[in-house]
Amino acid sequence: MRRMGIFAVVVVILAGAAALGWRVYSGPAAPAGQVALGQAVADFTLPDTNGQQHSLASLKGEKGTLLIFIATQCPYSNAYNQRMEALHRDYNARGIRLVGINPNKTEPAEEVRSHAQQNGLTFIVLKDPDNRIADYFGASVTPETYLLDAGNVLRYHGRLDADHKDAGLNSGELRQALEELLGGQAIANTGKKAFGCTIKRVG
Amino acid sequence: MSGKRAPGLVLAILLATTLGACSGSEPSAPLPITTAAEWIDLAGLEQRIEAERGRVVVVNFWATWCEPCREEFPDLVALDRRYRARGLTFLSVSLDDPAERDTQVKKFLAEQKPSFAVFVKTAGDPDQFINGVDPAWSGVLPATFIYDRQGQRRHAIFQPQTLAQLEQRIQPLLSSSQ
């Protein structure tokens, strides 16, 4: 009986450890299916570049949330670094939270962290190690943006502007959508196709 | 083959080629090949595909900054070499920045030595071009579209392909009624 008791304790400890391990190492919780314009985005959790987990619910802005899939090595994404930082600077105080997400399997968290530092990106950048969130959003390339309103409904999906080489465009198409969202108006242009580097997916 | 008969053979091939192209008889001959990275816009591409009616056409969109595209490229070169004489026309369209045509694109082509026609998309809104090619295409690269001999699009592929995968797709089209 005593032996069985010890066995039971060991089983419970192992089960507990396994459960804890699963929670820690199973990767981000991801909603099933794929979200479309006009639909509410389900909550999800991703780690930042230090491994700390963040849920969408904990990050969302008061007026909305701007998710941008970005890369460290993609020239298209990098062409927009300063434009993305300007968006963060201009809209954070107005209630829009910018969240960068790196979905590339070829770009580890340390690289994402140093890339953000070197390029002066002060918004949070999360790592999507299994591309499960990129899959959920149907993201194909970097940079690719998703604007959610205060209720996490997807209102804009696409590019920042028409030309990665023309910094003067200043994310004009996306800014127009942001202004319309903040002004309580319908968004006239819900996003043209993002063009950039293909996301390097797992598997 | 004797040296005397060769000129006659060349003439016959030239004549057949010209007649084939003019009359639309099947299989038609491929248009002249250029790897000079000529400019192309949506209308030009559509005309080019149309002009190849009677042959199976593979159109591949790529860019030098797209690593999967660069990895895929040698298989495309091999595909063209293996199947051109059997009725395949391969059209390659670079979506590189126009400013990089004479540097990055031509440098890459000099390394790869493709024998198929290579074009570079003219400057302009990528969204319009992508939607013009196929509204279902997100713009992801590489992207490959395959047309049958009747000019109907039969495959739209949005991920890198191997030679074997492409062969599997084109062989039935090549052997279908001409």
Side-chain angles (χ1 to χ4, degrees):
Chain A
M1 280 304 284
R2 193 179 163 203
R3 214 180 257 181
M4 278 191 70
I6 292 168
F7 179 73
V9 168
V10 169
V11 166
V12 167
I13 289 171
L14 283 175
L20 190 65
W22 176 253
R23 198 171 292 168
V24 173
Y25 297 112
S26 65
Q34 199 173 82
V35 70
L37 276 172
Q39 292 181 347
V41 171
D43 197 27
F44 61 83
T45 303
L46 283 178
D48 61 25
T49 56
N50 295 311
Q52 189 185 337
Q53 300 285 333
H54 298 268
S55 65
L56 174 63
S58 69
L59 290 175
K60 72 185 288 290
E62 184 191 343
K63 303 273 179 61
T65 310
L66 177 58
L67 307 174
I68 310 184
F69 288 88
I70 63 172
T72 63
Q73 297 174 22
C74 168
Y76 269 79
S77 184
N78 278 324
Y80 282 98
N81 283 339
Q82 300 319 308
R83 274 173 268 187
M84 291 190 287
E85 181 61 20
L87 284 168
H88 172 56
R89 189 182 61 230
D90 294 346
Y91 287 95
N92 192 44
R94 298 176 66 189
I96 303 285
R97 183 78 182 267
L98 197 165
V99 178
I101 302 176
N102 182 303
N104 285 329
K105 70 172 179 185
T106 48
E107 299 173 351
E110 310 80 65
E111 181 177 315
V112 175
R113 185 166 60 240
S114 60
H115 171 269
Q117 286 166 354
Q118 286 161 12
N119 290 283
L121 305 181
T122 60
F123 51 86
I124 188 168
V125 182
L126 305 177
K127 187 69 197 158
D128 182 15
D130 304 319
N131 355 108
R132 285 193 261 173
I133 302 308
D135 291 346
Y136 174 60
F137 280 94
S140 302
V141 298
T142 56
E144 188 164 351
T145 77
Y146 294 83
L147 175 60
L148 321 182
D149 66 16
N152 282 350
V153 173
L154 180 59
R155 303 288 300 276
Y156 179 99
H157 164 215
R159 66 190 187 187
L160 290 91
D161 57 42
D163 190 348
H164 72 294
K165 284 282 180 78
D166 188 353
L169 291 178
N170 195 26
S171 314
E173 293 174 13
L174 177 56
R175 280 176 184 262
Q176 187 185 336
L178 282 160
E179 291 300 328
E180 288 165 346
L181 177 67
L182 288 168
Q185 302 165 260
I187 293 177
N189 166 21
T190 55
K192 294 194 171 180
K193 283 178 176 174
F195 185 69
C197 306
T198 305
I199 291 172
K200 279 68 175 184
R201 286 180 145 83
V202 173
Chain B
M1 185 175 295
S2 76
K4 278 184 184 172
R5 288 170 64 188
L9 183 65
V10 170
L11 189 64
I13 289 171
L14 279 174
L15 193 61
T17 301
T18 311
L19 287 173
C22 292
S23 68
S25 64
E26 311 298 349
S28 62
L31 290 175
I33 296 159
T34 172
T35 53
E38 288 178 12
W39 299 114
I40 201 164
D41 59 11
L42 183 61
L45 178 62
E46 287 170 347
Q47 286 168 14
R48 187 83 194 197
I49 295 168
E50 180 66 23
E52 298 290 331
R53 187 74 64 91
R55 296 175 60 82
V56 173
V57 180
V58 178
V59 184
N60 176 261
F61 297 94
W62 63 286
T64 57
W65 46 259
C66 163
E67 195 54 37
C69 305
R70 297 173 69 96
E71 290 170 7
E72 179 189 52
F73 210 89
D75 273 17
L76 307 181
V77 174
L79 182 85
D80 172 65
R81 294 206 168 118
R82 191 171 295 180
Y83 289 96
R84 188 191 312 161
R86 291 161 62 179
L88 178 80
T89 289
F90 196 95
L91 303 176
S92 168
V93 182
S94 155
L95 300 192
D96 276 273
D97 192 278
E100 285 165 0
R101 180 186 75 150
D102 292 338
T103 52
Q104 298 298 325
V105 177
K106 288 190 173 174
K107 179 169 173 272
F108 182 71
L109 295 178
E111 292 163 7
Q112 297 288 330
K113 299 182 175 55
S115 48
F116 46 67
V118 179
F119 303 92
V120 178
K121 184 185 98 55
T122 52
D125 191 332
D127 181 77
Q128 284 179 12
F129 183 85
I130 290 162
N131 281 330
V133 173
D134 183 354
W137 177 24
S138 72
V140 72
L141 297 180
T144 303
F145 298 89
I146 303 177
Y147 300 79
D148 65 18
R149 293 184 190 273
Q150 287 73 43
Q152 296 298 309
R153 182 180 296 162
R154 300 291 293 271
H155 299 288
I157 308 160
F158 303 126
Q159 51 189 322
Q161 296 292 288
T162 62
L163 177 59
Q165 287 172 319
L166 287 168
E167 283 183 315
Q168 208 169 16
R169 307 244 196 201
I170 64 158
Q171 279 171 349
L173 301 179
L174 286 171
S175 55
S176 70
S177 63
Q178 297 181 358

